[in-house]
Amino acid sequence: MDLQTITQRLIEGDAKGTADGVRETLDDGTPATSILGDALIPGMEKVGNLFSEGEYFVPELLLAARAMSAALEILTPKLEGSDYKPAGTVVMGTVQGDMHDIGKNLVAIMLRGCGFEVVDLGADVAPQQFVEAARDSGAKLVGLSALLSTTLPAMEATVAALRASELGEGVRVMVGGAPVTDEYREQIGADGYAPDASSAATLARQLAGISDA
Ligand code: B1M
C-alpha cells in the first residue's frame, strides 16, 4: 500500500483502515520512521489545516487522533527498537489545561528508543505534579509539551515551580510543542527546546551529558 493511502485514511478518521495500512506497509518492508514521518505526521498536519479552515470540527479531530493512536500502537515497538545504553530517567507530560498528548507520546517513544526510562504523567499535568514526580523518580530531566498558545503560561509556571522547589537548577527542563519556540524557551528559563520527536531525543542525550559523538 502506498503512504498516501494511509495519510488519506488518517485524515478521514478511519482507525481500522489506518492501522491495517500501517501493518501492511511494515510487512512490505517500509521503515517505521518513514510511515510516521511521510504518512502519519503529514496527515495530522492536514487535519489541523482543515480544522483551521473551518472544514473540520472537534469530532473530526477526535476521529483523526484515534486513528493516529491506533497507528502508533503498531509502530511503537518498531520505533523503540534500538540498542542505546540506559541513559537515565525523564519525567514527561503535557502541561496543565492541555489535553493534546499525541506529540508528547511520540517524544516519549523516541526517548525510550534511545535508552531513557520515561515517567509519563499524561496530559493536563499541574506544575506541582511535575515537581513531585521528578523528586520521587530522581529524574534529572523533565520534558514539557504544550500544543495550545493558551497553555504556554502553564509551561512557564511549571518551569518556575521546578526552579522554586528543592530541585532548583539540578533538574534540566526541555520544552516543545507547536506554539513553543527557542525564543520562548529562553524567556521562561528552560534548558532546551526541540521542534520534533527525533531532535528531542538528541537534545535529551545532550542535556543528560551523553555524547553521541
Ligand atoms: Co486541538 N488544537 N484542540 N485537539 N489539535 C490544535 C493544537 C490546533 C493548532 C488546531 C488548529 O486550530 N489548527 C489548535 C490550537 C491553536 C492554538 O492554540 N494556537 C487546537 C485547538 C484550538 C483545540 C481546542 C481548543 C478545540 C476546541 O475545543 N474548540 C481543544 C483544546 C482541548 C484542550 O487541550 N484543553 C482541542 C482538542 C483537540 C482534540 C482533543 C480533539 C485532539 C487531541 C487528541 C489528543 O492529543 N489525544 C486535537 C488534535 C488532534 C489537534 C491537531 C489537529 C493535531 C495535534 C497533533 O496530534 N499533531 C492540532 C493541529 C496541528 O497540530 N496541526 C490541534 C501531531 C503531533 C505528532 O504533532 O503534537 O505538534 P505535535 O508534536 C510534535 C512537535 O510539536 C514536537 O514533537 C512532536 C512530534 O514530532 N513536540 C515536542 C511536542 N511536544 C514536545 C515536547 C518536547 C519536544 C518536542 O520536549 C519535551
Side-chain angles (χ1 to χ4, degrees), residues 36 40-41 43-53 57-66 68-69 72 90-94 97-107 111 123 142-151 155 173-180 192-201 203:
L36 178 64
L40 299 174
I41 290 183
M44 289 308 279
E45 275 163 10
K46 176 72 182 164
V47 169
N49 293 341
L50 289 168
F51 180 76
S52 301
E53 290 157 11
F57 297 94
V58 172
E60 284 87 1
L61 289 192
L62 276 171
L63 286 175
R66 208 182 57 177
M68 181 78 172
S69 299
L72 285 180
V90 188
V91 168
M92 279 284 310
T94 305
D98 202 323
M99 307 307 296
H100 296 86
D101 67 356
I102 294 172
K104 182 268 298 166
N105 292 345
L106 271 178
V107 174
L111 293 182
V142 174
L144 309 178
S145 180
L147 260 291
L148 295 171
S149 34
T150 49
T151 55
M155 183 172 263
V173 186
M174 58 187 274
V175 293
V180 182
Y193 157 75
D196 55 51
S198 62
S199 53
L203 173 67

Side-chain angles (χ1 to χ4, degrees), residues 20-35:
D20 288 347
V22 168
R23 255 186 234 108
E24 203 177 297
T25 315
L26 276 174
D27 288 347
D28 290 346
T30 308
T33 46
S34 167
I35 299 174

